[in-house]
Amino acid sequence: MAQYTTEMVDFGKGYQNAAGPSPSTQTVDHRMSKKTILKNVVVVSFGFLFLFTSFQSLSNLQSSLNKDDGLGTGGLAIVYGALVVSCMFFPAFIVGQLGCKWTVALSMICYIVYMAANFYAVWGTMAVASVIVGLGAAPLWSAKCTYLTQTAVWYAKHTGATEDDVINRFFGFFFMVFQTSQVWGNLISSTVFSQRPENETIPTTEELARCGAAFDPTAPSNNNTNLARPPIEKVYIVCGIYIACSCVAFFIIAGLLDQIKLDKDKDIAKEDRKLSVNLLVATFRHWWNSPYQKLLMPLTIYSGIEQAFITGDYTKSFISCTLGIWNVGYVMICYGVVDAICSFTFGRLVQYVGHIPFFILAFLVHGGTLITLLLWQPDPDRVYLFYIFAALWGMGDAVIQTQINALYGYLFTKNTEAAFANYRLWESVGFILAFGYSAYLETRIKMYMAIGWLVLGMMMYCLVEIGDRMSKKSSHDIIKTKL
C-alpha cells in the first residue's frame, strides 16, 4: 500500500476538519508538549514500519506463493478495488467516530486478518481478507496523515516555525522510517526461504528459457523447481513472523500513541460525520470538468500498472522463475532502497529544474528497461542484472510517484481533495487491471501493454504542459495589457 504516500498528505489535510475522537476516549489537547509531540511522531512512524514490513513483503510474494488460479494477484486486484470504494466513503466517517489513534489501530487489524488468511490461502479466505484490508487501508492512511498534520501545527506554534515547514519535516521523518520496511520485510522472507533442501533439482536450460518475457502463467511449470511453492512449514514461518510484526505495530499504536482532539473538531456538526457520497460526486465532477484531469488519467493508470508489474510480474516471471523465490526479497530490497533514495532526492531537485526533465528520465528509464527485458533471456549466472533492472525500475518509479503527486498539487490547488481522489481512483484502476490479467496473459503481452500506457501517458502529459504554458502566457499578456 506504499503507493498511497505523498498524496495522502493532502488527503489527511482534507479530512482534518471531519475527524474527532470517540467521546469515551481520553484526549490530549493542543497544550501537548514538544517532547510529547515528537514522541508521538516516532510512535506513528515505527508503528507503520512494523506493519508494512509485513504487508509490502507479503504482497511481493503473492504471485509466487499463491500462483494457482491467479489467487495471489487476483487477491491484490480485489484489495485495490475495495480501496477505491473505501477512499470515497469511509475515512471521514470512521475517523470522525473513532478519532485518529483508534482508526489507525483498528485498521491495522484488517492487515493482520489478511496476513492470517495466507495460512490457508484459498479463494474463500483470500477474497474476504482482501476486501477487509482494502476497506481498512484508506481510513488508516487518512488518520495517520491527519494525526501528523495536526501535531505539526501544534509543534509550529511551540517553535515559531511555519506550519508548512514542520509538516514537511514530520512527513519526511515518517517516510524515511517507513521506506526501510522494504528492506526488513524482504530480508525476512529471503532468509527463511534460502534454506533449500539438499536433494533439490536444478531447472534445465529448456525450463529456464520459459522465464522472463516468455513466461506464460497458464502453462504448466513442468519440473522447474524454482516455481514450486516453498515447503508449507516455511510459508507458515514467514506468515507467522509477519503477523507477529503486525501485532507489534498494533500494540505500539494502541499502547503508546496519545489520542488527540483536533482543533476544529468543535466546529463539526454531527451530520458532517455521517457516511456521504459527497466525495464521490466531487471526484467525478472534477474529472468531467477538468481537461487536465482527463489528460493525466492515462499516466495515472500507468502509475498503478508499473507498480503492479514490479510486484507481480517481475518477481515471478524473472526472479522466481530463474533464481528461485528465495531471491525475490534480496532483489526487492535493491528496488526499495533505490526508490527511497531517488524519491527523496528528486522531490527536492524538482524546484530547481521543473517537472519535465524528470518525466523524460522516467520515460527513458522505464521504456528502456521494458524493451531490454523483452529482448533479454534471463540468465541465472548473471544475477547482478536482476538487481540492475530492479534498481532502474525503482528510479523510474520514484519519478512517477513524486512528480505526478507534485503535478496534481500544482495544477489543482483549488480542488485538491477531489483531484487526489481522482489520483487514487485511476491509479487503483491501473493496479486492478494489471493484477487482474496477470494470471492469464504471457508476460510479453503485459509488457507491451505497459509500454502502450507509458507512451500514451507521456503524450497526454506533454499536452498538459503545453496547455499550462499557454494559459500562463495568456494570463501574463492580459496583465501586461492592463498595465
Side-chain angles (χ1 to χ4, degrees):
M1 210 62 60
Q3 70 282 4
Y4 295 95
T5 52
T6 310
E7 75 273 15
M8 298 302 291
V9 176
D10 297 271
F11 190 51
K13 291 178 183 177
Y15 282 113
Q16 180 175 321
N17 296 341
S22 172
S24 62
T25 305
Q26 183 179 1
T27 61
V28 178
D29 62 20
H30 64 274
R31 291 187 295 272
M32 182 185 290
S33 68
K34 291 192 294 182
K35 184 177 179 180
T36 304
I37 291 173
L38 294 178
K39 182 268 290 185
N40 285 317
V41 172
V42 172
V43 168
V44 169
S45 301
F46 278 88
F48 273 70
L49 170 63
F50 275 93
L51 181 67
F52 283 89
T53 287
S54 306
F55 181 74
Q56 289 190 145
S57 304
L58 193 56
S59 297
N60 293 340
L61 295 170
Q62 284 301 306
S63 61
S64 298
L65 281 182
N66 302 318
K67 59 182 182 295
D68 295 338
D69 300 322
L71 176 60
T73 53
L76 291 174
I78 294 174
V79 168
Y80 289 99
L83 179 60
V84 172
V85 176
S86 180
C87 283
M88 297 299 171
F89 297 104
F90 297 141
F93 170 74
I94 295 177
V95 175
Q97 296 297 319
L98 300 178
C100 294
K101 171 182 176 175
W102 292 112
T103 298
V104 171
L106 294 179
S107 295
M108 285 180 169
I109 295 178
C110 298
Y111 285 77
I112 296 174
V113 170
Y114 176 81
M115 281 171 271
N118 281 268
F119 277 102
Y120 185 65
V122 296
W123 269 111
T125 57
M126 292 300 293
V128 173
S130 297
V131 171
I132 291 173
V133 74
L135 294 178
L140 175 82
W141 284 95
S142 175
K144 183 273 300 180
C145 291
T146 304
Y147 195 99
L148 289 183
T149 300
Q150 179 66 87
T151 52
V153 170
W154 293 343
Y155 195 82
K157 292 178 180 178
H158 278 298
T159 61
T162 64
E163 292 181 2
D164 186 57
D165 180 53
V166 178
I167 289 172
N168 284 326
R169 281 157 51 192
F170 278 16
F171 277 93
F173 175 82
F174 171 84
F175 284 114
M176 179 186 70
V177 174
F178 173 82
Q179 292 288 5
T180 65
S181 61
Q182 279 277 10
V183 176
W184 313 122
N186 287 314
L187 191 59
I188 290 170
S189 65
S190 289
T191 301
V192 174
F193 290 143
S194 65
Q195 302 170 6
R196 301 156 56 189
E198 295 180 0
N199 59 349
E200 187 177 62
T201 59
I202 300 175
T204 64
T205 303
E206 182 181 352
E207 289 166 347
L208 292 175
R210 301 192 188 103
C211 299
F215 182 80
D216 184 355
T218 63
S221 59
N222 297 323
N223 296 319
N224 189 337
T225 54
N226 287 343
L227 292 174
R229 198 170 193 255
I232 193 64
E233 61 270 16
K234 293 186 179 179
V235 176
Y236 288 165
I237 290 173
V238 167
C239 291
I241 293 173
Y242 286 161
I243 290 176
C245 289
S246 302
C247 290
V248 169
F250 171 81
F251 288 119
I252 286 175
I253 297 299
L256 300 178
L257 188 67
D258 293 316
Q259 179 66 290
I260 61 173
K261 184 175 182 180
L262 304 177
D263 285 344
K264 297 184 179 181
D265 181 62
K266 59 181 180 295
D267 299 325
I268 304 299
K270 286 186 177 180
E271 55 268 20
D272 292 332
R273 294 178 183 167
K274 296 179 180 179
L275 288 175
S276 173
V277 297
N278 291 340
L279 181 59
L280 179 64
V281 173
T283 298
F284 284 101
R285 183 184 294 121
H286 173 77
W287 181 86
W288 182 262
N289 294 330
S290 173
Y292 288 165
Q293 182 64 73
K294 293 188 182 74
L295 290 172
L296 287 175
M297 185 179 71
L299 188 59
T300 309
I301 291 176
Y302 174 75
S303 174
I305 289 175
E306 62 91 4
Q307 292 177 75
F309 172 79
I310 189 70
T311 302
D313 293 310
Y314 187 72
T315 54
K316 181 179 181 180
S317 304
F318 290 86
I319 306 172
S320 287
C321 187
T322 309
L323 303 178
I325 191 174
W326 50 90
N327 280 294
V328 169
Y330 295 133
V331 177
M332 292 304 288
I333 287 173
C334 178
Y335 163 79
V337 170
V338 172
D339 200 331
I341 293 173
C342 290
S343 295
F344 179 84
T345 305
F346 296 162
R348 281 148 183 76
L349 289 178
V350 66
Q351 59 183 314
Y352 302 109
V353 298
H355 299 288
I356 296 177
F358 287 109
F359 277 114
I360 293 175
L361 175 63
F363 178 74
L364 294 176
V365 170
H366 271 192
T369 301
L370 284 168
I371 292 173
T372 303
L373 291 176
L374 280 168
L375 302 175
W376 179 54
Q377 176 58 52
D379 183 355
D381 293 329
R382 298 183 177 180
V383 178
Y384 63 91
L385 289 177
F386 293 86
Y387 289 86
I388 291 175
F389 291 132
L392 289 172
W393 203 264
M395 180 185 296
D397 177 72
V399 174
I400 295 293
Q401 301 309 311
T402 60
Q403 300 312 307
I404 292 182
N405 277 284
L407 191 61
Y408 269 74
Y410 164 72
L411 291 173
F412 309 118
T413 52
K414 296 182 180 179
N415 199 10
T416 56
E417 187 175 349
F420 280 106
N422 267 277
Y423 178 93
R424 293 187 298 275
L425 170 63
W426 297 115
E427 185 182 49
S428 296
V429 167
F431 277 105
I432 295 168
L433 287 173
F435 285 133
Y437 60 58
S438 179
Y440 306 102
L441 298 178
E442 183 180 340
T443 301
R444 189 185 315 277
I445 297 174
K446 290 179 276 190
M447 292 168 72
Y448 284 134
M449 295 172 68
I451 291 173
W453 280 106
L454 174 62
V455 172
L456 177 62
M458 289 300 177
M459 289 174 60
M460 297 298 99
Y461 161 71
C462 290
L463 295 179
V464 171
E465 285 288 351
I466 292 172
D468 183 57
R469 289 170 182 269
M470 292 178 63
S471 176
K472 283 183 177 179
K473 186 177 184 302
S474 299
S475 299
H476 178 74
D477 290 343
I478 292 173
I479 294 174
K480 188 175 180 181
T481 301
K482 290 181 178 180
L483 293 176

